[in-house]
Amino acid sequence: MQKINAAVVREKGGAFTIECLSLDEPREDEVLVRIAGVGMCHTDLVVRDQYFPTPLPAVLGHEGAGIVERVGAKVTKVAPGDHVVLSFASCGKCTNCRGGRYGYCIELYGRNFSGGRPDGSSPCCDAHGARVSGCFFAQSSFGDFALAGEANVVKIPADVPVDIMGPLGCGIQTGAGAVINALRPGAGTSIAVFGAGSVGLAAVMAARVVGCATIIVVDLNDDRLALARDLGATHTVNGGRENPVEAIQAVTGGEGAQYSLECTGLPKVVRQAVDSLRLTGVCGVIGVAPLGTEIALDMNGILFGRTVRGIIEGDSVPDVFIPQLVELWRQGRFPFDRLIRRYPLEQIEDAAADSEAGRVLKAVLIPGRAAGR
Ligand code: CXF
Ligand code: ZN
């Protein structure tokens, strides 16, 4: 059993509070990871607010990265001392998983949001012995240690700063993969990205990597638009001052963009992202909205060959894609570290407030080390 210090959410919309908890030893297919840094993703806040009802109390956190501490008896993928990024969980057995489409695993919701293992147990309890959800995204990594499954740990090289690599496991691979793996725009094509948060900006960097000639970014915040230009946007549109659909049509000679990507989770923006497409264009939807949210689209707009598709986790095979992103980062072609600000784990409430207010693009929490551990 491992004593850990972790951020616990005890009630809907409540604060993250640091508690000392007990974490089980790894089962035969599990890996105990000493967390070096863990990103905060919008989905952590969505679950804190119970738009997705992971049972509380819970340790959230699903962009962990660190060093393997101990492994279960049957684990062969990693060994103690390896540097790893933790990603999302999938069953590995359903039709989509067998086809390499892990983001569309039939058990995706249960494996990532139920708070427990597939058998319903949780490895985590509080100082009174009461159950705490400890398998959020098969990691619950808002703490100094996390228990992951062998399947959702991804080994990365030891010579990159592991503390900032965690966001590759969710938000950054979601944006970059939506472009590189899902939409696959060819060199010279046009793409419009709606929302210049960390996911949208990862998409912008990826669009530059694959050689899109026209990269249009829409947001309400001029500072973010300036950063988007720095990272590869060729045109930016402040959606509060300009009509984005008209602006995108003007930039693309009246045709509309070949690709668009919706990264805000707002129905009104999905509509704009679809309406900005040229005939035969493809819109990727990756923003997260509360369960039951509906959108309205012009049916004849779709009839003329446009495609709208949802994309989970950037269509990634994390074991393949995360090392690719690490290499692009190492080459200076994918500078996602520019989005990151580090916070001590104890300041997780500040990190959440700054994220929600748009003061930080990607908060990464760094666990401290309590005396004696
Ligand atoms: C999530 C979005 C909701 C479905 C699972 C993956 N992305 C990460 O935060
Ligand atoms: Zn996420």
Side-chain angles (χ1 to χ4, degrees):
M1 195 263 291
Q2 178 74 48
K3 288 280 181 200
I4 67 169
N5 287 315
V8 180
V9 174
R10 290 200 162 267
E11 59 190 31
K12 176 179 175 176
F16 293 94
T17 52
I18 306 296
E19 297 188 25
C20 183
L21 306 172
S22 300
L23 193 61
D24 288 350
E25 284 301 304
R27 289 186 178 177
E28 62 182 21
D29 60 348
E30 292 177 341
V31 177
L32 181 69
V33 177
R34 182 185 290 266
I35 297 296
V38 48
M40 178 172 278
C41 172
H42 178 62
T43 303
D44 295 306
L45 305 176
V46 159
V47 172
R48 176 200 63 185
D49 297 339
Q50 294 282 279
Y51 294 136
F52 289 179
T54 300
L56 302 179
V59 177
L60 303 178
H62 64 284
E63 291 185 349
I67 299 176
V68 174
E69 184 84 4
R70 291 193 285 282
V71 300
K74 292 199 173 155
V75 170
T76 56
K77 191 181 188 184
V78 292
D82 284 349
H83 291 207
V84 290
V85 167
L86 310 184
S87 195
F88 63 97
S90 53
C91 75
K93 296 185 180 126
C94 71
T95 310
N96 282 338
C97 283
R98 282 187 283 118
R101 309 202 68 200
Y102 299 104
Y104 311 95
C105 171
I106 194 150
E107 295 182 16
L108 191 85
Y109 191 86
R111 296 239 174 196
N112 293 283
F113 292 96
S114 73
R117 298 184 176 98
D119 69 4
S121 65
S122 173
C124 192
C125 64
D126 68 13
H128 308 289
R131 175 188 169 111
V132 175
S133 290
C135 293
F136 183 62
F137 277 72
Q139 56 180 284
S140 286
S141 46
F142 282 162
D144 51 4
F145 288 88
L147 204 54
E150 179 177 23
N152 70 309
V153 299
V154 177
K155 189 171 167 179
I156 59 166
D159 63 348
V160 296
V162 66
D163 65 328
I164 59 165
M165 293 291 145
L168 296 177
C170 185
I172 302 297
Q173 85 174 343
T174 291
V179 175
I180 294 172
N181 303 319
L183 298 181
R184 297 173 175 253
T189 56
S190 56
I191 185 167
V193 176
F194 288 76
S198 56
V199 172
L201 291 172
V204 169
M205 289 183 262
R208 176 152 79 174
V209 166
V210 301
C212 289
T214 305
I215 304 171
I216 308 159
V217 179
V218 182
D219 200 277
L220 301 174
N221 179 319
D222 287 326
D223 293 338
R224 288 182 177 208
L225 292 174
L227 179 58
R229 285 192 292 276
D230 231 33
L231 295 173
T234 57
H235 303 77
T236 54
V237 179
N238 185 314
R241 292 198 295 269
E242 279 181 86
N243 177 327
V245 177
E246 288 171 11
I248 289 164
Q249 262 150 13
V251 166
T252 55
E255 286 197 328
Q258 284 161 276
Y259 300 92
S260 65
L261 198 56
E262 197 302 300
C263 310
T264 71
L266 301 170
K268 185 182 131 191
V269 179
V270 179
R271 175 68 191 251
Q272 294 172 343
V274 177
D275 289 349
S276 301
L277 288 175
R278 99 178 186 198
L279 305 183
T280 75
V282 184
C283 173
V285 175
I286 58 182
V288 177
L291 295 177
T293 302
E294 296 188 350
I295 53 173
L297 296 175
D298 178 342
M299 238 175 111
N300 286 301
I302 303 298
L303 181 67
F304 282 83
R306 295 186 177 92
T307 302
V308 183
R309 65 153 296 197
I311 306 166
I312 294 283
E313 297 284 353
D315 274 7
S316 298
V317 176
D319 282 323
V320 175
F321 193 52
I322 290 173
Q324 290 174 348
L325 292 177
V326 170
E327 189 54 33
L328 285 167
W329 175 81
R330 203 205 295 268
Q331 292 178 11
R333 299 165 67 196
F334 186 71
F336 73 96
D337 56 300
R338 292 187 58 187
L339 312 180
I340 287 173
R341 186 193 302 168
R342 293 179 176 88
Y343 296 75
L345 177 63
E346 292 68 27
Q347 290 173 20
I348 185 169
E349 276 292 295
D350 295 334
D354 288 352
S355 302
E356 287 183 296
R359 290 187 289 267
V360 65
L361 283 158
K362 176 58 73 179
V364 168
L365 304 158
I366 309 293
R369 298 280 169 247
R373 285 218 311 277

